[in-house]
Amino acid sequence: MRLIKTSSLDRPEGLVFEQFHSGRLPSYAILSHTWGDDEVTWDDFQKGTATQKPRFRKIRHSCLQATSEGFEWIWIDSACIDKSSSAELSEAINSMYQWYQQAEICYAYLEGVSATVDATLSTGEFAKCKWFTRGWTLQELLAPRDVIFYSEDWCKIGTKAELCDNLSVITGIDQDILVGTKPLNSASVAKRMSWAAYRETTRVEDIAYCLMGIFDVNMPMLYGEGSKAFLRLQEEIMKQSDDQSIFAWVNLEVPPDTLHGLLADSPRDFAHSNTIFPYPDWELRPPYQLTQRGLRIELPMVPHDDGSEIVYIAAIDCPSPPDYEDWSFLALYLKKNPYESHQYSRVRLGQLGKVRVRGQRQEIYVKQNVSAFSSLSLFPHHVFQLRRGPSVKEYKISVLYRDPKRKGGPPDMMQSSKADVRAWLHHPYTATFTAPKTAGGFVCGLVFERVADNERIVVLLGTMDEMRVGYCAIELPPESDDDTKLTFAVLQNRFRPGEVSELRYNNLTVDSEMAIFNGSKYYLIDIGLRATGTRNLLDIIMGGRDESHRDGTGTGKKQEKNAPRIRKFLSRSRLR
């Protein structure tokens, strides 16, 4: 920490600066002020041009005031930080709250405020002072024990303790926190963010950096990262706090269908969060974790259907104002990403919900920056990959149909699934299929034959709306020459996706899981089959009669054609 020796003000060779390290700091005063266009900097002192600038006046008066009160040293940010050194600048910004906190006295210089101002008014010259609109001066108000306000002519206006009532109205900060009777961390994350909602900084990153001390976090300075700095600040806060009021913000300027993460874009989103606080020790909250899939968090969720779309309402551990006694919870509106498992985004950013029944706690992932859910535009290829199938002791696959018009080799297979699929789907059958990017597109058909009685079922796989996996199934008659009529085109006409199947002799389940591999969207498909009945002799005979009437042939001829199948069935039947 570099300090100015106040008694060196009138030395011909200029002010004396001395470097001190933590642990041996002398008693010192500190200046809080707003920066102008032609501020006196450390570089000006090195060049010997500092005293030539008009703004040197406030440095001079600061030193004189400190000297009059018996302080030999003073710290002034513009003059004492060598901003050409990134290491020194980073150290100063990360330590600044502590430096203001350790100062014996803080002089708040209010440029543009006259000596005759009435500082007890919540409107007017004092309240509209630029000092109350800047980001850095927020911590400079909170950190020091004693703050004395001075006018532009360096006349004393009052102390923080004397003006506490009006300062609370102007800033939104509780009086007991201003005067230090309650610790700063007694205010929720949302409340502390609200204090900075309407404050500004010259550089975008500084709106995050100026709040680090208020939340007792540290992070490296990365000028050039823009609004990502505020995102990093919230991530650092979450590493040290499970206060879920950090999610209790609203943005009234975006459409309700905007997709967003759980973290705010700026302190302005907390402008209406001054009264929000978390339930104290309500329960042990599972920790958050930042992953490549987004923020992993467990929240109680229930479906919320408003008639136009189904979203989920997720409760956070904060009581809902203003009726704090009704034991209701604030809640967020979340929409599930149809293309990613357990992936959600926040919607309806302009409002917070309210619930009493919180629902089942679920582990979800929420990416911070998301575009509209468009799997079609994000991924050049959509691939169906068969993963698990029925037991080969119960069902064997006899035919696999795929589109003969699709040229080129099959897509790459996800390595993690090879061992599973080859347990029931043997070569030369392929396990991967390029899926059309349309709803109702037919992808493949698989004919399974039941080992016990040769009952057959064809499972048709394809796409539904929003590129979900759709399926249907058809139970085939016993093996016949008509099988030659089964082609991809025929099955494509029979494909009616609905995720349900009306089967008499088999129970079918089809589950899918989405994954990204080699830049393509994969749908890993598991097929389950279970026998529920057996086709009897009468089914075969009556099936033959029905078909004979439809195609105009004689009943006797159709039964004669079916004779080999009947004999085959009888040979395997328990009735023989």
Side-chain angles (χ1 to χ4, degrees):
M1 184 181 191
R2 185 181 290 112
L3 297 175
I4 301 173
K5 191 168 187 178
T6 58
S7 60
S8 66
L9 183 64
D10 295 324
R11 288 169 55 96
E13 57 271 30
L15 288 175
V16 172
F17 293 83
E18 187 168 335
Q19 191 79 34
F20 294 91
H21 298 285
S22 58
R24 66 178 193 92
L25 287 174
S27 176
Y28 63 92
I30 202 165
L31 176 67
S32 172
H33 64 116
T34 57
W35 285 36
D37 295 331
D38 196 23
E39 206 65 44
V40 179
T41 65
W42 165 255
D43 188 55
D44 292 322
F45 283 102
Q46 301 309 298
K47 295 177 180 178
T49 59
T51 57
Q52 302 171 15
K53 289 188 171 183
R55 292 186 183 275
F56 180 77
R57 178 174 174 272
K58 62 182 172 184
I59 294 178
R60 178 179 179 82
H61 279 285
S62 298
C63 291
L64 290 174
Q65 186 64 43
T67 301
S68 68
E69 296 184 15
F71 295 107
E72 187 178 1
W73 301 96
I74 190 170
W75 188 81
I76 302 173
D77 54 2
S78 57
C80 294
I81 301 174
D82 179 6
K83 293 201 298 179
S84 66
S85 169
S86 58
E88 182 173 327
L89 179 62
S90 179
E91 178 189 5
I93 291 177
N94 275 278
S95 306
M96 200 171 295
Y97 187 90
Q98 183 181 4
W99 290 350
Y100 275 91
Q101 193 175 44
Q102 293 174 344
E104 294 294 329
I105 193 70
C106 175
Y107 305 132
Y109 175 68
L110 307 185
E111 188 173 1
V113 175
S114 64
T116 58
V117 67
D118 187 348
T120 63
L121 299 178
S122 59
T123 59
E125 184 181 0
F126 182 74
K128 294 180 180 179
C129 175
K130 182 181 177 182
W131 191 86
F132 290 110
T133 68
R134 306 303 291 173
W136 291 105
T137 55
L138 176 61
Q139 67 175 0
E140 295 163 14
L141 172 65
L142 288 166
R145 292 186 299 273
D146 297 311
V147 179
I148 304 177
F149 294 92
Y150 286 90
S151 69
E152 187 174 42
D153 296 330
W154 211 259
C155 295
K156 181 178 177 180
I157 298 174
T159 67
K160 179 166 69 170
E162 293 168 347
L163 303 174
C164 181
D165 291 353
N166 197 29
L167 290 174
S168 179
V169 173
I170 295 170
T171 63
I173 304 172
D174 299 349
Q175 293 185 35
D176 46 9
I177 291 178
L178 280 173
V179 298
T181 56
K182 285 182 67 175
L184 182 60
N185 60 11
S186 65
S188 70
V189 171
K191 179 186 281 288
R192 279 178 276 176
M193 286 291 188
S194 73
W195 300 338
Y198 296 107
R199 291 179 179 258
E200 299 176 349
T201 55
T202 303
R203 304 194 65 165
V204 175
E205 298 86 353
D206 283 340
I207 197 61
Y209 301 158
C210 72
L211 297 176
M212 291 193 300
I214 292 174
F215 291 100
D216 194 22
V217 299
N218 297 96
M219 61 186 194
M221 306 297 100
L222 299 174
Y223 282 104
E225 66 176 329
S227 59
K228 291 181 180 178
F230 188 68
L231 178 62
R232 283 202 299 130
L233 173 70
Q234 294 170 90
E235 292 172 351
E236 291 298 324
I237 293 172
M238 288 191 298
K239 292 178 182 179
Q240 301 188 22
S241 171
D242 64 354
D243 179 356
Q244 291 190 355
S245 72
I246 195 172
F247 308 126
W249 53 269
V250 295
N251 186 333
L252 304 177
E253 299 178 357
V254 297
D257 58 349
T258 300
L259 304 176
H260 203 280
L262 294 182
L263 302 180
D265 291 328
S266 77
R268 184 153 303 204
D269 294 339
F270 291 90
H272 305 282
S273 303
N274 186 270
T275 60
I276 294 175
F277 59 89
Y279 276 113
D281 299 324
W282 180 259
E283 60 185 14
L284 184 62
R285 303 180 183 98
Y288 322 135
Q289 183 178 3
L290 293 169
T291 74
Q292 67 273 23
R293 295 186 62 190
L295 176 63
R296 186 177 73 182
I297 186 172
E298 290 188 20
L299 292 174
M301 298 173 61
V302 293
H304 179 75
D305 189 355
D306 69 350
S308 59
E309 63 175 356
I310 295 180
V311 299
Y312 292 83
I313 189 163
I316 58 176
D317 286 337
C318 298
S320 55
D323 303 321
Y324 291 111
E325 301 300 326
D326 66 356
W327 297 101
S328 61
F329 293 82
L330 282 175
L332 313 174
Y333 294 97
L334 302 178
K335 184 176 181 180
K336 191 177 188 303
N337 186 335
Y339 309 112
E340 294 284 352
S341 178
H342 305 295
Q343 192 84 47
Y344 292 78
S345 290
R346 185 177 169 189
V347 292
R348 306 182 191 180
L349 307 185
Q351 64 182 118
L352 294 171
K354 176 180 177 179
V355 295
R356 292 190 181 182
V357 179
R358 295 193 295 168
Q360 187 68 32
R361 189 177 286 273
Q362 298 183 36
E363 181 183 276
I364 63 173
Y365 295 85
V366 186
K367 287 185 178 180
Q368 184 59 26
N369 296 313
V370 290
S371 57
F373 294 144
S374 177
S375 177
L376 300 179
S377 60
L378 290 177
F379 301 98
H381 300 292
H382 291 185
V383 182
F384 277 26
Q385 178 168 319
L386 303 176
R387 181 169 60 177
R388 298 185 181 90
S391 169
V392 294
K393 295 180 180 180
E394 299 180 16
Y395 291 85
K396 63 180 180 180
I397 182 169
S398 58
V399 185
L400 189 150
Y401 297 91
R402 61 179 302 167
D403 190 350
K405 297 179 182 179
R406 293 193 177 271
K407 305 297 183 181
D412 292 336
M413 181 187 239
M414 291 188 67
Q415 300 297 315
S416 61
S417 298
K418 278 186 175 179
D420 291 323
V421 69
R422 291 310 175 195
W424 62 275
L425 182 67
H426 300 291
H427 291 293
Y429 296 135
T430 182
T432 55
F433 310 85
T434 302
K437 297 182 180 181
T438 57
F442 180 48
V443 175
C444 65
L446 301 92
V447 179
F448 292 95
E449 185 174 347
R450 208 154 65 188
V451 174
D453 53 15
N454 297 106
E455 288 288 347
R456 294 182 305 152
I457 178 175
V458 57
V459 178
L460 307 180
L461 300 175
T463 59
M464 291 185 65
D465 59 304
E466 296 181 335
M467 276 303 296
R468 290 181 298 158
V469 174
Y471 66 90
C472 63
I474 306 168
E475 288 173 327
L476 300 176
E479 189 174 354
S480 71
D481 295 338
D482 291 341
D483 288 350
T484 59
K485 298 180 181 179
L486 283 180
T487 64
F488 184 87
V490 171
L491 294 176
Q492 189 173 33
N493 291 332
R494 296 289 304 272
F495 180 57
R496 299 289 186 272
E499 296 191 2
V500 293
S501 57
E502 296 180 2
L503 303 174
R504 297 179 63 187
Y505 309 112
N506 300 271
N507 178 268
L508 169 69
T509 59
V510 176
D511 297 309
S512 64
E513 179 182 349
M514 282 173 287
I516 307 302
F517 177 64
N518 282 351
S520 295
K521 175 81 74 173
Y522 277 70
Y523 300 81
L524 305 178
I525 298 173
D526 300 332
I527 300 174
L529 279 173
R530 180 174 58 84
T532 58
T534 300
R535 192 187 304 263
N536 56 36
L537 180 60
L538 184 60
D539 288 328
I540 297 174
I541 296 174
M542 294 304 294
R545 287 177 179 172
D546 291 340
E547 290 174 2
S548 68
H549 289 301
R550 283 197 296 270
D551 62 12
T553 60
T555 302
K557 291 182 179 180
K558 192 66 178 181
Q559 287 181 348
E560 183 180 349
K561 185 177 180 179
N562 284 339
R565 287 185 288 157
I566 297 173
R567 286 195 296 271
K568 184 177 180 181
F569 176 83
L570 289 174
S571 68
R572 297 176 179 175
S573 173
R574 296 177 181 177
L575 298 177
R576 60 179 179 173

